Amino acid sequence: MRRPAGLSGVYFEDRFNYDSLRDVLRQVMAGAENTTEHGMWSHEMKNQLRVMLYTLTIALILAALWVVKASAQNPTPTDDEVNRIAHQLYCPVCENTPLDFCPTEACRQWRDLIRQQLSQGWTEDQIKQYFAEQYGARVLAEPPRTGLNWLVYILPPVIILAGAFLLFRMLRAWTKPPAASSAAGSAKEAAQDDYVARLEEELKKRK
Amino acid sequence: MFAEIGYGILAITFVIALYSVGAAIYGDRKKSSAIVESARRAMLLTWPLISLSAGTLIYLLITNHFEVSFVYEVTSRSMPTYLKVTAWWGGQAGSLVFWSWLMSAFASLVTLRKWDRDREFLPWVIVITSITTAFFLGLVIFYANPFTRFWQSLDGKIVTSMFAPLNAIAFFPQDGRGLNPLLRHPGMIIHPPLLYLGFVSFVIPYAFAMAALITGRTDDRWIRLTRRWTLWAWLFLSLGLVVGGRWAYDVLGWGGYWGWDPVEIAAFMPWLTGTAFLHSVMIQEKRGLLKHWNMILIILTYALVLFGTFLTRSGVLSSVHAFAQSAIGPAFFVFIGATFITSIALVIYRWPELRSETEMKSMLSREALFLLNNLLFMSILVVSFWGVIFPLISELTTGQKITVGPPFYERATGPLFAGLMFLMGIAPLSAWGNSTIFTLGRALWKSAVAALLIAVFLFFTATKNILALVGFFLIAFVLLVTLVEFWRTARARQKTQNENFFAALLNLIGRNRRRHGGYIIHLSMMLMAIGILGIEVFQVQTQGTIAVGQSLSLSGYSIQFKSLASWDDTPKGVNYTRAVVDIYKDGTFLGQLAPRKDYYFDSQQNMTIPGVRSTLKDDVYVLLVDWQPASANGATFKVFVNPLVNWLWIGTIVFLFGILIAAWPEREADYALAHSKNKAYEPSSAD
């Protein structure tokens, strides 16, 4: 958690100290300006309290502005905004049908739900997660990267790389024939082989 | 009565097909050509018989015999006759009869050829094709019978069975449910036959491969014998895929043609191995290498053909449990497993005899590049296969259903397709046997620089999208390399033969049709790639509800809503809702489009027909999504602008042209040989 600068001290020590916070709040509620059960408020403490209150107020105003701005931008989400998200989701009933063009009544309702969620300021990820939790991972265009599902992503590259490696090895073995093997056959055999090979070639051409 | 006749004929054909398998094996062992001939004649009987049975099925379909459950499911009184005929392959049981019918047709065709020099293959080709026919007939007879009828028992229950149950009377429904409207589109009428043609014709090279393994005649004779079959198979399968895409574009209403749906991938996988096979057999013919690999590729193709049919027919995709409940699924599973294991066992048995005849000399030789091409095709296969299979595994092991959708496939296969394009650019200029980086570089650098300039030009004028720029660079590179190659060789011929340029070009193509047909196919693939890249990277869409007179705008276009009408066509059993919109581009009126929604009463299903304005630059694709019935003044439209997509279909026509050049039967071999003396010009890396 990132700490706002002016708030270190009494109740922000190394971690958030709820007990001190409760104490401070109790003091504020009681309207104790000068006295507490713990004794006098130090000047320093009062300053810190003021800073905290100002910061809180500003944060609240900012948050309110952000919400207002978001809803002003999105009075009712357009079809395109809905479809952009619906396109990444799959109909939970029909197989392999993206939600944005699925013609069923259920999907129409799901699209309306997305519209509602958008107008409430939900983000794309929140909506996707909501659908995944409600209807299972099958509504996502790709399996979530967890557990067994990793196999989907890992196996093809592993097989392809293995294939490429094998092919490379084979090619290298072929293009650099070991010198020993050519010496193995007797000269006569080699000559005969040559002859047979040529005969085969000729026959092939005639076929 | 007709139902019994149709079923009876199928049962007899099944027995005959099994007989031809047995007789062929027995005849081969006894070295009796008479028994093999008997097997051949038995196999020749299967096609007329299945035709007869199919004839009775078609008769039942067009005469509204709704007491037959298949007829009830796929037709209705309101359907026109031609649709009732094509409903034959509109349902599971009928489509399996269709499969066996095509299979026996191809098997008959191949056994009608002259076998003089290849006697030893004949019995085994009969065995393999007849086993496949028998398997599909068996599925029809035992599991998916299109001739079963409805029966009503005394307590009013309605059951379906082939023969009358005890105390039951025949039940005649008034009308059928009708074909799914999506399947009434011309694209869907020809898409399954094309795909099935591709599927069954790949069985022929497989049968010859097995015959070669069993007889031990493992030279490249089987490849030469089936070269043309393979090309035709590939043609049908490719066309089937494209027509399926066109159908999706025209009726599915999502503005695209390919969605990486498992059903699509099921047909795509045999295409991948088939394409790899087409390329790698050339290495065996030219250099005597890769014999094992070609065997494995054709076995995989056969297995994937069966697997594709299995995926779409067993219901396994909707749920693994549906698969377990359907009887047809396990039968398929066992058959695929058995044929696959047997085939691989045969390859292992013949392993020593399949050794390469020569050595590979260079990593940049054409054969080495072809191997790389095979690696890429296999990689796309691995991604596709795993993406289809993994959801099933997940459901079986954890019970969790998951979706593996387009983002997965696009990310994984994109670079692989780019690699294939790159190879398409460099491989035609590499030589068989030997190439070095210098010879290749000298041949390629001009085209590469020109393509780079095109990409830079596009960067400043059209797009900053890096994916698109890489794609267009590769497309330009391949197009340039191939066209320059045509130009260069035709010019050379022009000089030596004193022909004019076009005569030289035509003669050049005629002299080596396989090679130049292949180049034309490469060109067509690049045209298709332009379309694919256009729609993948630049597609934009918008949706909105507008009143009459209002417009939606999208990338310079404006779509103005003019009117909407809805009416019933009672004889056809359809309600049409048709909107009329005006299309403007930057204020200029371009024309009207009429997107529609058709509601079919019999099957209670909608069909969305887009209004499309198609140009070489882009398609404006308007869908009627929804409308207000009460006021009729507001309607929801979805509009897509699909840049460049037309090049996909243009590429398909060029593709057809290329493959016809490559696959059209050659003149007699002797004639060609006699004329081969005046070989004034021959490229160094012939074929």
Side-chain angles (χ1 to χ4, degrees), chain B residues 90-244:
Chain B
Q92 160 129 313
S95 74
L96 289 173
V97 175
F98 188 65
W99 221 105
S100 349
W101 182 70
L102 286 178
M103 184 67 244
S104 71
F106 274 69
S108 305
L109 269 177
V110 79
T111 51
L112 283 174
R113 70 181 295 281
K114 279 188 282 177
W115 284 83
D116 311 336
R117 280 193 294 172
D118 313 296
R119 269 286 136 207
E120 68 263 48
F121 284 161
L122 179 63
W124 298 106
V125 170
I126 294 176
V127 168
I128 304 295
T129 52
S130 285
I131 283 181
T132 313
T133 312
F135 168 67
F136 278 92
L137 286 175
L139 287 181
V140 173
I141 295 170
F142 299 115
Y143 302 122
N145 179 0
F147 293 106
T148 54
R149 276 168 295 173
F150 291 116
W151 304 93
Q152 192 164 28
S153 57
L154 288 178
D155 54 358
K157 249 193 225 155
I158 295 181
V159 292
T160 57
S161 89
M162 187 59 229
F163 300 104
L166 207 61
N167 292 328
I169 50 164
F171 175 73
F172 297 90
Q174 272 307 298
D175 200 352
R177 276 207 301 222
L179 198 60
N180 181 338
L182 295 176
L183 303 185
R184 301 184 193 190
H185 180 269
M188 210 41 171
I189 291 168
I190 56 169
H191 163 70
L194 280 173
L195 218 52
Y196 284 7
L197 272 173
F199 279 6
V200 295
S201 36
F202 264 121
V203 176
I204 304 299
Y206 168 76
F208 274 89
M210 290 304 103
L213 285 180
I214 295 169
T215 58
R217 191 178 168 187
T218 50
D219 62 356
D220 57 9
R221 182 68 184 153
W222 70 273
I223 288 176
R224 284 165 194 278
L225 281 173
T226 57
R227 182 158 86 194
R228 199 141 288 121
W229 287 98
T230 311
L231 276 175
W232 285 109
W234 194 64
L235 164 69
F236 289 129
L237 195 51
S238 313
L239 277 186
L241 285 167
V242 176
V243 169

Side-chain angles (χ1 to χ4, degrees), chain A residues 53-146:
Chain A
L53 286 172
Y54 284 155
T55 320
L56 260 176
T57 318
I58 291 167
L60 274 174
I61 289 169
L62 276 179
L65 275 178
W66 181 70
V67 169
V68 168
K69 191 175 161 228
S71 62
Q73 212 175 32
N74 252 348
T76 40
T78 64
D79 287 351
D80 288 343
E81 286 165 318
V82 174
N83 280 342
R84 201 175 53 78
I85 293 175
H87 186 67
Q88 301 170 50
L89 292 168
Y90 278 72
C91 169
V93 185
C94 338
E95 275 90 37
N96 298 296
T97 313
L99 202 52
D100 61 334
F101 80 93
C102 181
T104 60
E105 186 52 38
C107 283
R108 185 201 300 262
Q109 286 168 10
W110 280 312
R111 283 193 295 268
D112 284 343
L113 181 62
I114 295 177
R115 190 187 307 272
Q116 227 171 42
Q117 289 166 336
L118 274 176
S119 66
Q120 285 163 12
W122 289 35
T123 65
E124 185 179 319
D125 286 338
Q126 282 172 327
I127 297 174
K128 278 170 37 182
Q129 192 170 352
Y130 169 83
F131 272 85
E133 275 165 16
Q134 287 288 311
Y135 305 103
R138 64 178 301 192
V139 302
L140 300 173
E142 286 186 280
R145 283 153 215 247
T146 50

Side-chain angles (χ1 to χ4, degrees), chain A residues 1-2 4 8 16-17 33-34 37 40-41 54 56-58 69 77 79 87-88 117 127 136 158-159 163 165 170:
Chain A
M1 183 194 274
R2 247 186 95 217
S8 55
F16 200 92
N17 190 332
E33 191 61 57
N34 296 314
E37 20 180 350
M40 291 285 288
W41 275 80
Y54 284 155
L56 260 176
T57 318
I58 291 167
K69 191 175 161 228
D79 287 351
H87 186 67
Q88 301 170 50
Q117 289 166 336
I127 297 174
V158 166
I159 293 179
F165 178 70
M170 266 165 45

Side-chain angles (χ1 to χ4, degrees), chain A residues 79-80 83 90 95-96 100-101 108 137-143 145 148-149 151-153 155-156 159-160 163-164 167-168 171-172 174-175 177 201 204-207, chain B residues 117 220-221 224 254 261-262 318 357 359-363 368 371-372 375 379 382 386 390 397-398 400-408 411 542-544 626 638 673:
Chain A
D79 287 351
D80 288 343
N83 280 342
Y90 278 72
E95 275 90 37
N96 298 296
D100 61 334
F101 80 93
R108 185 201 300 262
R138 64 178 301 192
V139 302
L140 300 173
E142 286 186 280
R145 283 153 215 247
L148 186 75
N149 289 342
L151 275 180
V152 164
Y153 302 99
L155 206 72
I159 293 179
I160 292 170
L167 181 68
F168 182 70
L171 277 177
R172 217 174 46 181
W174 278 339
T175 49
E201 273 302 309
K204 262 185 215 167
K205 279 183 198 154
R206 253 149 242 274
K207 266 177 200 171
Chain B
R117 280 193 294 172
D220 57 9
R221 182 68 184 153
R224 284 165 194 278
W254 41 272
D261 187 278
S318 50
E357 292 159 24
E359 298 280 349
M360 189 139 329
K361 290 202 187 87
S362 149
M363 289 222 195
L371 268 180
L372 216 55
L375 175 73
S379 304
V382 166
W386 190 233
F390 186 77
T397 51
T398 63
Q400 191 193 30
K401 286 190 122 190
I402 53 164
T403 304
V404 177
F408 169 79
R411 201 173 45 230
T542 185
Q543 179 179 321
D626 205 357
K638 192 174 216 172
L673 204 68

Side-chain angles (χ1 to χ4, degrees), chain B residues 20 36-37 39 50 85 209 253 272 297 430 440 459 533 551 642 647:
Chain B
S20 91
V36 173
E37 181 59 17
I50 301 176
V85 175
L272 288 170
L297 276 180
S430 69
L440 258 185
F459 176 79
L533 206 60
S551 0
N642 297 331
W647 291 95

Side-chain angles (χ1 to χ4, degrees), chain B residues 467-501:
Chain B
L467 203 71
L469 288 170
V470 171
F472 284 125
F473 165 74
L474 286 170
I475 291 169
F477 178 58
V478 178
L479 285 176
L480 283 170
V481 166
T482 317
L483 290 172
V484 164
E485 179 68 5
F486 268 118
W487 186 79
R488 196 179 58 79
T489 45
R491 284 284 295 194
R493 191 184 163 95
Q494 183 189 6
K495 277 179 197 150
T496 52
Q497 302 278 34
N498 277 327
E499 294 166 333
N500 75 48
F501 181 76

